[in-house]
Amino acid sequence: MRRLLASAVLGSALILGFTGCGTEPPPTGAPSPTGGSTTASEADILAATNAACNQAVSMSSDFAAGFQRDVNQFADPSASAEAPADAEDNFEAQMRGWSATLTSLATGPVSDELRTVLTESTAAIEAATEIGETPLSDEQVAAVVAIPDNFRAVCE
């Protein structure tokens, strides 16, 4: 009888051990046992969206003003002649940096609306980056100059 009772207790312990009884669920944000991962909470998305908005609005206001100044300089032959030899390279580097930052912000857990504006802004910047290759159209210039206002509309 003792042997039967001991076997039943041992069997129950093994069954409970294999079924995960008593284990804690994975922490939030950790991969789930099925291989996927949990999604960010609404509070995380709101916080990330607010942080991305602050950075995007501030950065884009500065870069759009510099962009407008540089485009005007490159369009004016007399001002272009006085510009440093590496002015176009500096312009392209600044534009690529702006674009890269907006792209990285779009990969965070931000709202879908902000992600759309980040992606569209990045496309507009990239289209306008090669200023030395061909003159920019009025539409390209307007699209880049409007970026800070686009962010303000989504972020406020």
Side-chain angles (χ1 to χ4, degrees), residues 17 49 61 79 81-82 87 101 105 108 111-112 119 123-124 133-134 138 141 152:
T49 297
S61 296
E82 296 174 17
T101 299
L105 292 175
S111 70
D112 291 339
T119 303
E133 302 298 320
T134 58
D138 291 340
V141 172
R152 283 186 200 97

Side-chain angles (χ1 to χ4, degrees), residues 26-140:
T28 303
S32 68
T34 58
S37 62
T38 58
T39 58
S41 70
E42 287 184 38
D44 292 339
I45 293 171
L46 181 61
T49 297
N50 287 335
C53 276
N54 290 337
Q55 186 174 357
V57 169
S58 174
M59 169 187 233
S60 295
S61 296
D62 293 341
F63 277 106
F67 169 81
Q68 184 68 61
R69 181 193 63 243
D70 290 344
V71 166
N72 291 341
Q73 179 182 1
F74 293 134
D76 181 2
S78 63
S80 226
E82 296 174 17
D86 61 349
E88 286 185 25
D89 291 338
N90 289 338
F91 171 82
E92 288 180 12
Q94 289 177 357
M95 296 292 283
R96 290 188 197 291
W98 184 15
S99 173
T101 299
L102 297 182
T103 298
S104 75
L105 292 175
T107 62
V110 297
S111 70
D112 291 339
E113 188 178 19
L114 178 58
R115 188 179 325 283
T116 298
V117 175
L118 286 162
T119 303
E120 290 170 353
S121 297
T122 299
I125 293 165
E126 289 174 359
T129 298
E130 300 296 331
I131 194 165
E133 302 298 320
T134 58
L136 296 175
S137 69
D138 291 340
E139 291 81 18
Q140 287 174 306

